Amino acid sequence: MNKAIKIIAYLAVASLLSYLANNGDREFIQGFSSNIISLLTTILAINIPTSTLIISEINRIKEKTDIEPIATFKELRHGLIMQIAVLICLFMIQTVCSFLKNKHIIEEPIINVVSGSFVIAAFIYYIEVIYDLGIALFDLITFKVKNK
């Protein structure tokens, strides 16, 4: 339930921001949209080794303590799968919106808002993932300091 509420909140905030951006100077959101897939792919490429580092550190801690990190590992795996899924969905949405815009099936301002909403929502999700991985890394550093 918590994840569904989060997705709805992301889409609501993203839709509002997209609407505002598309009713003002559209240059920024247009440039941002054209670079988003390469940006998110780069972030994913950075998050994979970061997740691997977190897993290896947890395994080291596991050898010294009685923790069972299976849930943490599942969450990291789920996060990576979700990042890939978001990239694939964003690619498909951008492609469909481009098709609809070229065929004039739906009015261009509506397509721009919808497309921009998904771009912004994907970016917000990736920011959350970066934040979570950063918190996990600092928690591991703090854990190691406390137990020396």
Side-chain angles (χ1 to χ4, degrees):
M1 184 67 168
N2 189 21
K3 290 182 183 188
I5 292 172
K6 216 184 261 192
I7 291 170
I8 292 168
Y10 286 171
L11 287 173
V13 168
S15 295
L16 175 65
L17 291 174
S18 179
Y19 176 77
L20 293 174
N22 282 293
N23 283 323
D25 183 18
R26 185 160 155 62
E27 249 180 73
F28 172 75
I29 195 72
Q30 203 169 16
F32 188 68
S33 294
S34 67
N35 294 318
I36 191 71
I37 291 179
S38 59
L39 173 66
L40 297 184
T41 304
T42 303
I43 292 172
L44 175 62
I46 294 168
N47 288 349
I48 290 171
T50 305
S51 296
T52 304
L53 174 67
I54 291 170
I55 289 169
S56 66
E57 287 299 313
I58 289 173
N59 279 329
R60 284 190 198 144
I61 293 169
K62 180 183 167 187
E63 292 173 359
K64 298 175 185 175
T65 63
D66 290 336
I67 64 167
E68 202 52 49
I70 294 171
T72 303
F73 293 163
K74 283 183 180 179
E75 189 62 32
L76 282 169
R77 182 175 180 260
H78 174 73
L80 288 173
I81 290 169
M82 285 301 296
Q83 289 176 65
I84 292 167
V86 166
L87 267 175
I88 292 168
C89 288
L90 187 58
F91 176 78
M92 291 186 323
I93 289 166
Q94 294 284 50
T95 303
V96 169
C97 284
S98 179
F99 171 79
L100 294 173
K101 194 183 294 187
N102 287 336
K103 296 295 180 181
H104 304 289
I105 296 171
I106 300 174
E107 293 181 36
E108 188 172 334
I110 294 171
I111 294 171
N112 290 339
V113 170
V114 170
S115 175
S117 296
F118 283 102
V119 166
I120 294 169
F123 183 71
I124 293 170
Y125 174 74
Y126 267 72
I127 294 296
E128 180 194 8
V129 169
I130 292 169
Y131 174 79
D132 287 345
L133 287 175
I135 294 297
L137 279 173
F138 283 109
D139 284 348
L140 285 171
I141 291 168
T142 305
F143 184 85
K144 289 170 63 172
V145 170
K146 287 180 183 175
N147 291 324
K148 281 192 174 183

